[in-house]
Amino acid sequence: MDLFRLTAHELQDKIKAKEISYTELTQNVIDRMDTVEDQVHAYVNTVKEQALAEAAKADKALAAGETVGPLFGIPISLKDNMSSTDMPTTSCSRILSNFTAPYTATVVEKIRNAGTIVLGKTNMDEFAMGSSTITSYYGPTQNPWGKDLVPGGSSGGAAAAVSAGEAILSLGSDTGGSIRQPAAFCGVVGFKPTYGMVSRYGVHAMTCSLDQVGPIAKDVMDCALAMNAIAGYDKKDSTSANVPVPDYTANLNGDIKGMRIGVPSEYFPSKLHPGIKEKVEAALKLLEDQGAIIEEVSLPASKYALSAYYIISPAEISLNISRLDGVSYGVREDVIDGDVYDMMVATRAKGLGKEVKSRVILGTHFLCIEQLKPYYHKALKVRTLVKQDFEEVFKKVDCIIGPTTLTTSFNFNNFPDPLTLRQNDLLLAGSNLAGNCAISLPCGIVDGLPVGMQIMGNAFDDEKVLRMAYCFEQASGIKNLQPSFIEGGE
C-alpha cells in the first residue's frame, strides 16, 4: 500500500481502524525516500533509524491506551534553517556545514510535542535567498513534476518532499513567497501564517521583519492541523503575537455563503500566463457558485511592493549575516599570515555563496548613511502604503484571491535572468510586507504542470483564509495531486 500518498488525517483514520501501524507508515515513507531521493534530492540530512525508533514508541503508546493527537506518529520534514540538537542545521550554506545547534527552535519543539516523527532536514536556497534551490551549497532539488524543473524556493526541498511522498507534511519558511511559490510549482498546499502567529525563535533569520514559518502539506486540512500544533505566543521571540489561538479546523465546513472575495486587477498583469489566468478565473466562478460574493478591488501600491521588498530584505540580510564570521561557530578559514580580520574575510569569502554575498553587499549599501533616506527610508514608507492598501480592502472583503505565480515551474536549463526571476515574486511579497496571512493551493493543471491559486487574508484572519481554501478544495476535488515524473522511481 502506498501510504506515502495519503494525508495525515487519512492515515490517522487507518491507524484508528488498526489497518496499519505507525512503524509500517514510517517504513513506507522511508522506502519511498530510498526509491526516489536520488532523483529529487529533497533532503540534506536524514535520521531514518531515529524515526523508526520513534515510530515503535508511538505504537507502544497507542497500544497502552494513551491519548494521541491528529499528528501523532506522522512522518514529517523540517526546512534546514530550523535549529535542532539531533542533526545539523546548515541553512544549506558551506559556512554552517559543520554546525549543530545547542538548542531547539520553538516551532520544532511544538511540532514534536504533537507527536510527529521527524525524518530529516530539507534542501533550500542558501539562507533562504533564492526561488529555485539552485543557490544551495548541496546542489538543487528537482521538482517531482518534471525532469529538470525547479521546485521553487527557498522552501523547495520541503515542497518537493511532500509532493514526492518523502514526507506527509513539512515545515517551511516564507520571506517573500518562499512557502507559497514552491507549493504552487510542486502542486501542494503552502500556508504563510500572519506574522507573529508562529515563533521564529531558533529559526535562522533571513529578514527579521518578513520571515514567517508555516506548513506545507497535501491538503488544507493537514495545514490546519499543523497550525493547531505550531501557532501560539512564545516569550523567547520578541516578535511573537500574544493573541488567542483558535482551533484552525473548527470552521472547515465548506460554508462560505455571504463571504466577500476581492479580486485585484494588479494581480492579473499582462505577463501572467494565460493558462494560469484561466484556471484562477474558473476557481473564482466555482467559489461564487458556493455562495461567495466576488468584487473587483484595487491595491495601487502593490506595483511598488517588489521594489520595496528588494531594498528592505537585503538591508536586514546584511545585519543578520554579519554574525557569521568564523569566530564563535561554523566553518573557519585559518590564515597563516594575517590577523582576525583576515580570517573573517577568508571565511566569508569561501563560506558564503554568490547570491548571499550579492544581497549582503546590496543591503550594506542601502544602510550607508548616504543611502538611508533615498532608498531604505523610502522603502519603509512604501511598505506602509502597501499595508494601508490591504487594510482598506479588507474593510470591504473577507479575502483577496489571485494567482500565486506568473508562470508554472521553469526549467533549470532555461533559467530566467535575475530580473525576471525576481519579478516572479510580484504576487507574493506584498503579504510579507504587510504581515498578512496567505495560502497557495492547486487550482488545476496547465501544460501538465500544477497551477497555484493564492488566497490572502488580513492579519490574524488565518482561520478565514483556511476556511475559504478548504471550501474550494472540497468543491473542486483538486487536492493531493500526484506528480507525473517521480512515480514509482522510474
Side-chain angles (χ1 to χ4, degrees):
M1 184 185 296
D2 291 340
L3 301 176
F4 60 82
R5 298 188 187 280
L6 303 180
T7 63
H9 56 91
E10 290 170 339
L11 289 165
Q12 288 293 8
D13 289 342
K14 289 187 174 295
I15 294 285
K16 291 175 182 177
K18 298 184 178 179
E19 295 178 23
I20 60 171
S21 68
Y22 290 119
T23 299
E24 289 171 334
L25 167 59
T26 304
Q27 186 64 62
N28 188 268
V29 177
I30 289 174
D31 289 345
R32 177 65 169 176
M33 293 167 66
D34 292 341
T35 302
V36 304
E37 176 59 11
D38 285 346
Q39 299 173 75
V40 182
H41 188 213
Y43 287 88
V44 294
N45 278 295
T46 58
V47 284
K48 297 176 184 177
E49 291 185 5
Q50 175 181 306
L52 287 170
E54 290 177 1
K57 290 180 181 178
D59 282 326
K60 289 181 180 179
L62 186 65
E66 293 184 21
T67 302
V68 300
L71 294 182
F72 189 83
I74 298 298
I76 71 163
S77 61
L78 306 170
K79 190 173 179 178
D80 191 36
N81 60 353
M82 300 178 189
S83 298
S84 64
T85 58
D86 59 342
M87 69 186 101
T89 306
T90 75
S91 280
C92 290
S93 176
R94 180 182 182 275
I95 204 167
L96 288 180
S97 57
N98 65 350
F99 177 69
T100 299
Y103 57 90
T104 298
T106 297
V107 70
V108 176
E109 288 182 347
K110 285 192 168 188
I111 200 70
R112 279 182 159 157
N113 288 342
T116 60
I117 296 172
V118 176
L119 297 167
K121 301 282 181 71
T122 55
N123 198 18
M124 58 182 283
D125 287 288
E126 184 181 10
F127 286 109
M129 298 179 208
S131 53
S132 64
T133 70
I134 201 170
T135 69
S136 170
Y137 173 63
Y138 303 106
T141 295
Q142 183 157 292
N143 192 329
W145 281 84
K147 189 175 182 180
D148 298 324
L149 290 177
V150 304
S154 63
S155 305
V162 174
S163 176
E166 296 188 74
I168 304 304
L169 62 86
S170 188
L171 294 185
S173 63
D174 192 308
T175 304
S178 291
I179 286 175
R180 290 161 288 155
Q181 184 246 28
F185 280 6
C186 292
V188 293
V189 181
F191 182 58
K192 185 200 87 69
T194 297
Y195 181 78
M197 280 304 298
V198 179
S199 173
R200 295 186 303 107
Y201 175 79
V203 180
H204 294 178
M206 176 180 163
T207 66
C208 296
S209 74
L210 300 168
D211 294 352
Q212 186 58 73
V213 175
I216 297 175
K218 299 175 187 291
D219 70 358
V220 176
M221 177 62 77
D222 278 7
C223 274
L225 291 171
M227 282 299 295
N228 281 347
I230 65 177
Y233 175 67
D234 178 17
K235 64 181 180 181
K236 291 181 285 188
D237 177 5
S238 62
T239 64
S240 182
N242 193 359
V243 296
V245 178
D247 178 355
Y248 292 98
T249 65
N251 291 316
L252 299 188
N253 53 22
D255 182 11
I256 58 167
K257 289 183 178 66
M259 290 184 69
R260 307 186 78 88
I261 297 173
V263 181
S265 58
E266 294 86 356
Y267 278 59
F268 292 82
S270 59
K271 61 187 72 174
L272 177 66
H273 189 296
I276 294 177
K277 180 181 180 182
E278 180 182 323
K279 294 297 182 184
V280 174
E281 288 177 343
L284 286 166
K285 179 64 171 64
L286 180 60
L287 289 169
E288 189 173 33
D289 292 341
Q290 302 305 305
I293 300 167
I294 310 293
E295 61 181 83
E296 292 186 12
V297 296
S298 181
L299 297 167
S302 63
K303 61 184 176 181
Y304 307 115
L306 203 56
S307 298
Y309 173 82
Y310 276 106
I311 293 173
I312 295 169
S313 173
E316 295 188 18
I317 286 168
S318 70
L319 296 174
N320 285 321
I321 297 298
S322 64
R323 72 192 72 178
L324 300 171
D325 53 15
V327 175
S328 301
Y329 56 90
V331 170
R332 174 186 296 181
E333 292 293 329
D334 291 322
V335 179
I336 297 175
D337 296 318
D339 56 18
V340 66
Y341 176 80
D342 297 316
M343 181 275 292
M344 290 180 184
V345 171
T347 295
R348 290 166 70 83
K350 292 186 179 181
L352 300 175
K354 181 179 178 181
E355 182 66 22
V356 176
K357 290 175 185 174
S358 68
R359 297 200 193 194
V360 167
I361 292 169
L362 187 62
T364 304
H365 172 73
F366 289 141
L367 292 178
C368 290
I369 189 66
E370 299 87 353
Q371 310 302 331
L372 273 175
K373 284 188 177 180
Y375 289 103
Y376 186 67
H377 287 175
K378 191 173 290 186
L380 293 179
K381 292 178 181 178
V382 170
R383 181 178 192 168
T384 299
L385 294 176
V386 170
K387 183 175 175 61
Q388 288 174 347
D389 274 0
F390 276 112
E391 289 173 347
E392 285 302 310
V393 169
F394 284 127
K395 289 177 182 177
K396 298 179 265 185
V397 301
D398 296 290
C399 299
I400 295 171
I401 291 183
T404 305
T405 57
L406 297 173
T407 67
T408 54
S409 176
F410 49 86
N411 199 294
F412 280 114
N413 300 319
N414 188 24
F415 211 74
D417 63 83
L419 182 59
T420 302
L421 199 61
R422 280 161 171 73
Q423 286 177 339
N424 276 310
D425 295 335
L426 180 67
L427 311 178
L428 299 163
S431 291
N432 296 85
L433 289 172
N436 297 334
C437 54
I439 193 170
S440 175
L441 70 163
C443 67
I445 303 290
V446 171
D447 299 328
L449 297 176
V451 171
M453 176 175 70
Q454 183 177 201
I455 305 175
M456 294 163 278
N458 203 2
F460 306 109
D461 275 351
D462 306 58
E463 192 179 6
K464 193 181 291 185
V465 166
L466 289 166
R467 179 181 173 188
M468 182 69 69
Y470 182 80
C471 176
F472 171 77
E473 191 180 71
Q474 297 302 304
S476 68
I478 303 174
K479 61 176 182 175
N480 200 3
L481 300 179
Q482 302 301 324
S484 53
F485 170 52
I486 304 298
E487 192 65 28
E490 68 266 15

